[in-house]
Amino acid sequence: MSQAILNTALKVRGMVLNKVNSIPEELFDIQPVPFNNTIRWNIGHIVSSLDGFLSLGTTFNSNLPESYPSLFGMNSKPSDWTTAPPSKEELVRYLSQQLDALSQFPIRTFEDKLETPIQLGPMTFETVGEVFNFAFVHETMHLGAINYILRAINHEQNK
């Protein structure tokens, strides 16, 4: 079962990379009504969230810039940015680096208990595998958000 979870995660990240690569960067910062974020924010959030989730129970670290949590963390938004966000090229580079690192992820650790269970809203995660699995459920939610934002942009541009 652990290999199936890893394979699914790799496929999800591949889908994210394909989608991101297909979107022109000039659309990354358009924030259509009623969205509170942009395509660029969602991509950065995917990158920084994976590091955040997996650093809770493993040694996973893709050495993201120190600015990423403040740019892309929970409750952040582009309208609060005081520094230039990363380019599409940089975001794609980190998505790809994480994909490479994930392909080497030690699935034997999925059953390892976390030192301290992680409480996230109504959910409690007790093992590395639970956190890992949720990280990719979360990633698919943001891939969906990217698709909805892109649809809204295309709808507005084709009026």
Side-chain angles (χ1 to χ4, degrees):
M1 181 57 92
S2 294
Q3 188 63 52
I5 292 170
L6 178 60
N7 291 346
T8 300
L10 295 172
K11 288 175 183 161
V12 166
R13 179 49 65 93
M15 289 169 33
V16 168
L17 269 163
N18 286 337
K19 176 52 85 175
V20 169
N21 279 319
S22 75
I23 302 170
E25 188 167 10
E26 59 265 16
L27 302 181
F28 273 35
D29 298 307
I30 298 172
Q31 186 174 322
V33 174
F35 296 93
N36 61 353
N37 282 309
T38 62
I39 291 170
R40 187 180 313 275
W41 182 89
N42 277 278
I43 298 165
H45 185 71
I46 287 170
V47 168
S48 61
S49 292
L50 184 66
D51 258 31
F53 284 130
L54 296 187
S55 70
L56 296 172
T58 72
T59 58
F60 186 88
N61 183 346
S62 53
N63 299 312
L64 297 178
E66 289 181 18
S67 61
Y68 275 46
S70 63
L71 289 170
F72 305 116
M74 203 161 58
N75 300 318
S76 66
K77 55 188 183 289
S79 60
D80 292 339
W81 290 348
T82 57
T83 60
S87 66
K88 174 182 178 177
E89 180 183 349
E90 180 178 323
L91 291 167
V92 166
R93 185 174 68 246
Y94 282 116
L95 286 168
S96 298
Q97 286 175 356
Q98 286 179 333
L99 178 59
D100 291 343
L102 287 168
S103 67
Q104 304 300 315
F105 196 88
I107 59 175
R108 69 184 179 284
T109 65
F110 279 3
E111 297 304 319
D112 290 355
K113 293 279 187 194
L114 300 172
E115 284 184 31
T116 305
I118 298 165
Q119 189 73 37
L120 187 61
M123 299 173 287
T124 302
F125 304 116
E126 296 182 3
T127 67
V128 169
E130 290 172 339
V131 173
F132 185 94
N133 198 39
F134 180 76
F136 288 93
V137 168
H138 177 262
E139 187 156 327
T140 59
M141 291 167 36
H142 285 281
L143 177 57
I146 290 168
N147 284 318
Y148 288 128
I149 292 170
L150 192 56
R151 276 185 175 165
I153 291 168
N154 288 333
H155 178 74
E156 286 298 315
Q157 290 180 344
N158 292 321
K159 274 188 170 180

